[in-house]
Each structure stands twice: as structure tokens, then as C-alpha cells.
Amino acid sequence: MEKVQPKTEYRTRSSQVISLEKGKLPPQATDLEEVILGAMMIDSRGVTEAIETIGKNEVFYKTAHQEIYNAILQLYENGEPVDLLTVSGQLKKTSKLEISGGEFYLVQLSQKVSSSANIIFHSRIVVQEFVKREAIKMAGNISEQAYDVDVDIFDLLADSHKALDDVMESISKKTAPDFKKQVADFFDRAKDQSPGVPSKLSKIQNKTNGYHPTDLVIVAARPGMGKTALVINEAKYQASLGIPVGFFSLEMSAAQLIGRMVSDAASVNASDIKNNKLNETQRAEIDSKRSEIESLPLHINDNVSITPLELRLQVGKWVRDHGVKIIYIDYLQLMSAPNLSKGTNREGEISYISRSLKATAKEFNIPVIALSQLSRAVETRGGMKRPILSDLRESGAIEQDADIVYFVYRPEYYKIEEWDDDDRTPTKDQCELIMAKGRGDMLGATVVRTNLRYMRFEDLEEDFYSGLPIEPGSPEGAFDAPNETKLQKDEDEDLP
């Protein structure tokens, strides 16, 4: 092996500059960087453990160390052995040997340690120093942009949040747990019969045993079906049990949501409250419910066009400060997805949003209930006009990401006066909740009572209805053939 004298200095990447204002070097752990690289070149186990912790991030402070790590990473990805000779050969192949300190420096690194015993611990420290440097760099960029008189403050904050989120995501790596632990977790969960966050409606509760942590539940319907009223009923009921609830209302203001809750609690016509046409009796009824509503552990964010990142930050704050156990979003298609690549269509945006909502549910270990619009294809369908999964607007990703999908369907809205059961039961003040995607025996439909005068959903006194006449999601037998000629050309613009 050619003997090359060690370099006395190694330049750092351009982003790693000394802060002249503070007179300090950026956070670093170059001694541990040397130990990590040395261990990777003498122990194959160390290679795997370090890469699992560090990944493909440029976390090393010295450029020489980063180039050596990149060479090891390339060898690992190609399935080639990692040792002193192969690393040297890979650096020669990419013309990076000299900038990496030469062969003599590689020998020095390999002699610094005798095993990779503590390589995970050391790697975590190096990653922590990298995060600190990134935070300093981002703070400098924010400070510089803040002096720009033309910068939009909301764009500045959004970009800053995204930069921090990208760093967090790049270092948040979870290694697969031991199989025995996974088996133990399974049996522990099997013993735990505790329900999720309960539903007001007993039929939903019986099917799902409540809303469970990490679940993304999609409640979908056409405009006018009462889906917002339904989830407000659920949120108010859960809050009345002392369960902290978070509600994102992108369509209605907080005042409108509270008005609907008051209408339900006081049995006062919701339209009278909305139009402020209340008589003395109604005002007295409303006033009597004030303390009841004020005491609810309910938290409402009515900012329009909220982004997945902003929602995630707000959820995190609610969970930390108030112990929120369930989140509602009204509704998914009104969320915005900035900072995506140019040319991303609306379907791509919705896919990104639905994935983000599922990730939020998993991160905070809470159920997320998101409302969604259905396409106009429902309106052109003959027969009972029941919705199916393909009616979910703009993206199949919603169906894919959701753990549960159920539709809110009121045939009365379409002037259909009888159900298609054997007794032709009247549909007046009744709503069908169709479980189109779920676990086990969840699939099917059930009917509940509606009183939209008071924005109220309730259980029926008698359960006359046992379910759909066919399997959910299949149009045969329950629907007439769709009339394709009636489909609107501007379907993508179908917003209420």
C-alpha cells in the first residue's frame, strides 16, 4: 500500500462555518467521528449498526470523514465487504482518496479502536452535534431573511418549520424490535380489553369498540348529508365525558361550531341561533347551557388552509399541554400542501395530506378523524344513490391510508322516502352509516336517527335495519347503472 503522509488540516463543508458573532466553533465531535470510522473498517457488525443510526445524512463535521463514510456506505449498498483495502479502493475509484487524508490516515483510523462495542452510542452523539449545527445554520438563515423587507413572514415561518421537520425526519430512525418483544406486545394487547375513545352512537361503538390510537378514520359524504353535525356530536359527547378533544375546523368558524353545540344542548333551532332570531325563551335556554359548554375540554383551531405541518405542530402542543386524546378535521380537502415540487397535481397534494394525517395519528398515538368530500358521481347514480369507495374525491390514497372509512348517507336528501328493506321503512329523519372499510366484522351499514333542526344524531329506539342488502363497495344489486353522461366536467372543482 502506498504510504501517504497524513494531512495536518482537513477542510469542513461550506455550511459549517465559525460563528464570528459568538466566536465559537460549531458543535462537533471529531474524536468520535474517527472512532466510528475506525470501528466500521475493522468490524462488519459496526458497519451495520452505524449505518442504521446515521443513515445517509451528512452528519460528519470534517469533509474527510464524510467522504470516508460515503465510501463505506457505497460499499455496503453494493453488498461488498468493508475493510481498510476496500475503502481505500472505493475512494480511489471516486478520486476522493486525497481529500480523505490518504491511505496513511485510513490506517490511523483503523488503529484507534479494537472493536465496535460502543459504536451506536458514539454515532448518536455525532448525530446530535449535527442537529445542533443544522439548528445554528437555520437560525442564521432565518435571521438573514428576517432583515429582508420583501420577505413574507408566513412563508418564512413555513420554510423554517419545514427545514426543522426535514432534519427531524432524517434522524428519526426506528430499528425493528426483537421478535420476542413483538410477540409479547401482541399478547399484552390481547389481554387489554379497554375500548378506544367512545362513540356517542351505540351501533358505531359496538362495531368499532371506540376510536383507537394511531387510527385514521375517514368520514365521507356529499354536501348536505350532515357529516359535520355528526362529528360535532361525537366531539361534544366525548368532551362531556372529560376526554380532551382537538377540533380543526377549516370550513366553519369556532363561533359556528359552538352555535351547533349549543343548539344540540339547549334544543334550540340551529338556524335561529345562526341568524340571531331568538325569542326570550330560547335565549334563556341557551344561557342555561353556558357553563356546561364552557367546561368542555374542547380545543378548536379554525384557521383556514392549514398545512399538515402546522396541524402536526398544533396537535403536538395540544397533546403536551392538554392531554388531547382524539383529533377531528373538517375537512381534508380544505387543507393546503405547500412546498411540494412544482407540477404536483391535486391528487398528489391529497395523497401527501392523507399520508401526513396517518403519520400524525401514529406519532402522537391518538385517533385522527378526518372528514372528506365525495365526488358528484353519487348524484348521477340511479337507485338509492349509496356511495362506494371509488367515490372518494381526488385520490385513492385516502382509501389506502385510512384504517376505517364510513359514509354518511341520508336518502331523504335525494327525496327518497323509503328504505330498500323488506318493509319499505320510511327514511324521514334517518341516516345510514355505511362502513366501507374496516377491520373484521365492521363492514356493513346501520341506521341512526337525525334531528338536523338541533344538529343532533341519536340511536334509533328500535333496530329495524340489519345492514346493506349486498356487500359494501359492490354496486351490483343495490344501484342502477350510473349515467355517465351526467358526470360534471368540473368535478375536481366540486366544493360546497
Side-chain angles (χ1 to χ4, degrees):
M1 182 183 294
E2 178 186 358
K3 185 173 181 180
V4 180
Q5 293 300 318
K7 309 291 181 182
T8 55
E9 294 182 1
Y10 302 106
R11 64 183 179 85
T12 61
R13 294 189 298 281
S14 59
S15 62
Q16 300 167 347
V17 295
I18 297 176
S19 171
L20 298 178
E21 180 182 355
K22 299 292 184 181
K24 297 179 180 179
L25 282 171
Q28 57 187 281
T30 54
D31 54 339
L32 292 183
E33 292 180 6
E34 294 172 353
V35 170
I36 291 168
L37 295 173
M40 294 178 80
M41 286 189 288
I42 66 170
D43 189 341
S44 59
R45 179 178 177 181
V47 175
T48 302
E49 291 178 337
I51 291 176
E52 285 178 348
T53 306
I54 298 171
K56 295 185 178 181
N57 305 302
E58 296 194 353
V59 305
F60 290 90
Y61 180 70
K62 286 188 174 181
T63 300
H65 294 165
Q66 186 62 50
E67 294 296 348
I68 295 170
Y69 177 77
N70 289 343
I72 294 174
L73 185 62
Q74 188 62 55
L75 290 169
Y76 180 81
E77 290 180 339
N78 293 340
E80 300 176 21
V82 176
D83 56 36
L84 186 61
L85 291 175
T86 57
V87 173
S88 175
Q90 180 65 27
L91 289 169
K92 287 179 181 178
K93 187 186 301 183
T94 57
S95 302
K96 297 292 179 66
L97 181 59
E98 183 178 353
I99 198 175
S100 301
E103 292 176 337
F104 184 74
Y105 186 61
L106 295 179
V107 172
Q108 285 185 315
L109 291 178
S110 65
Q111 294 175 344
K112 280 192 174 290
V113 291
S114 58
S115 74
S116 62
N118 299 311
I119 195 168
I120 295 177
F121 178 75
H122 295 155
S123 297
R124 286 174 178 168
I125 294 175
V126 170
V127 171
Q128 289 173 12
E129 299 305 298
F130 161 70
V131 173
K132 291 177 183 178
R133 294 196 301 273
E134 289 296 293
I136 292 171
K137 183 172 69 175
M138 284 183 280
N141 291 337
I142 293 171
S143 177
E144 182 177 346
Q145 292 180 55
Y147 281 105
D148 187 349
V149 295
D150 296 325
V151 73
D152 183 278
I153 186 62
F154 294 104
D155 290 342
L156 174 61
L157 291 174
D159 291 343
S160 303
H161 283 310
K162 186 175 186 301
L164 285 169
D165 192 54
D166 289 343
V167 173
M168 186 190 312
E169 186 173 330
S170 67
I171 65 173
S172 298
K173 300 184 182 299
K174 295 183 179 180
T175 57
D178 180 73
F179 177 67
K180 288 184 178 179
K181 184 179 184 306
Q182 291 174 323
V183 173
D185 290 343
F186 170 82
F187 282 100
D188 287 342
R189 286 194 301 270
K191 293 178 183 177
D192 183 13
Q193 297 298 320
S194 58
V197 178
S199 170
K200 174 186 176 182
L201 302 170
S202 63
K203 294 178 182 178
I204 296 295
Q205 180 66 23
N206 292 338
K207 277 183 174 292
T208 64
N209 198 27
Y211 300 104
H212 296 272
T214 75
D215 275 0
L216 173 61
V217 180
I218 298 296
V219 181
R222 287 292 296 154
M225 291 294 160
K227 59 184 181 295
T228 300
L230 173 63
V231 294
I232 291 176
N233 270 232
E234 294 281 66
K236 176 176 171 291
Y237 170 75
Q238 291 153 359
S240 71
L241 298 177
I243 300 170
V245 177
F247 202 109
F248 290 90
S249 179
L250 285 71
E251 186 176 23
M252 297 183 181
S253 66
Q256 289 174 308
L257 288 182
I258 294 170
R260 291 191 170 201
M261 293 181 197
V262 170
S263 172
D264 176 27
S267 296
V268 174
N269 193 317
S271 64
D272 290 342
I273 295 176
K274 179 179 179 181
N275 299 322
N276 198 22
K277 294 182 178 180
L278 301 171
N279 57 39
E280 292 301 321
T281 302
Q282 290 174 319
R283 289 188 185 280
E285 289 291 338
I286 287 175
D287 290 342
S288 69
K289 299 297 180 181
R290 176 169 180 167
S291 61
E292 175 187 327
I293 299 298
E294 283 181 337
S295 65
L296 294 175
L298 187 63
H299 308 277
I300 298 175
N301 183 317
D302 60 357
N303 293 335
V304 297
S305 299
I306 194 168
T307 67
L309 175 59
E310 293 167 341
L311 183 141
R312 176 182 169 187
L313 294 171
Q314 179 66 80
V315 170
K317 182 174 176 58
W318 279 342
V319 170
R320 290 190 304 271
D321 296 349
H322 307 291
V324 163
K325 301 297 183 185
I326 187 169
I327 295 295
Y328 290 90
I329 302 165
D330 182 18
Y331 58 88
L332 185 152
Q333 279 86 359
L334 290 181
M335 293 182 67
S336 59
N339 301 318
L340 295 181
S341 59
K342 291 184 178 180
T344 302
N345 58 21
R346 184 57 178 165
E347 182 175 340
E349 291 180 357
I350 295 297
S351 298
Y352 169 75
I353 291 169
S354 67
R355 286 194 305 271
S356 299
L357 295 182
K358 177 59 182 176
T360 299
K362 293 179 66 175
E363 178 180 354
F364 296 105
N365 197 36
I366 58 175
V368 172
I369 319 300
L371 273 60
S372 177
Q373 289 280 44
L374 296 177
S375 70
R376 286 179 178 161
V378 177
E379 319 253 292
T380 65
R381 188 173 293 135
M384 291 294 288
K385 299 184 183 295
R386 283 192 179 92
I388 55 177
L389 285 171
S390 61
D391 296 324
L392 284 169
R393 282 195 57 199
E394 294 164 319
S395 175
I398 298 177
E399 176 187 347
Q400 177 181 327
D401 295 328
D403 298 280
I404 297 174
V405 177
Y406 72 87
F407 301 120
V408 182
Y409 165 65
R410 289 193 307 114
E412 187 180 9
Y413 178 83
Y414 298 116
K415 303 189 185 309
I416 298 173
E417 298 180 354
E418 294 180 340
W419 290 108
D420 51 352
D421 63 326
D422 292 338
D423 297 328
R424 311 304 294 181
T425 311
T427 62
K428 182 173 175 57
D429 294 332
Q430 292 179 2
C431 174
E432 188 174 70
L433 303 179
I434 306 170
M435 285 284 180
K437 179 182 178 182
R439 294 178 290 269
D441 59 354
M442 286 184 186
L443 301 184
T446 188
V447 173
V448 297
R449 185 178 304 283
T450 62
N451 188 339
L452 296 185
R453 176 185 175 90
Y454 304 136
M455 295 296 157
R456 188 178 297 161
F457 280 72
E458 303 170 302
D459 289 319
L460 279 172
E461 290 80 1
E462 296 181 5
D463 188 3
F464 73 90
Y465 195 78
S466 60
L468 284 171
I470 56 158
E471 290 297 315
S474 172
E476 288 81 7
F479 313 109
D480 290 343
N483 187 346
E484 301 291 345
T485 62
K486 293 184 180 179
L487 290 174
Q488 299 293 325
K489 293 182 180 180
D490 60 342
E491 180 171 318
D492 290 339
E493 302 299 325
D494 180 24
L495 292 176

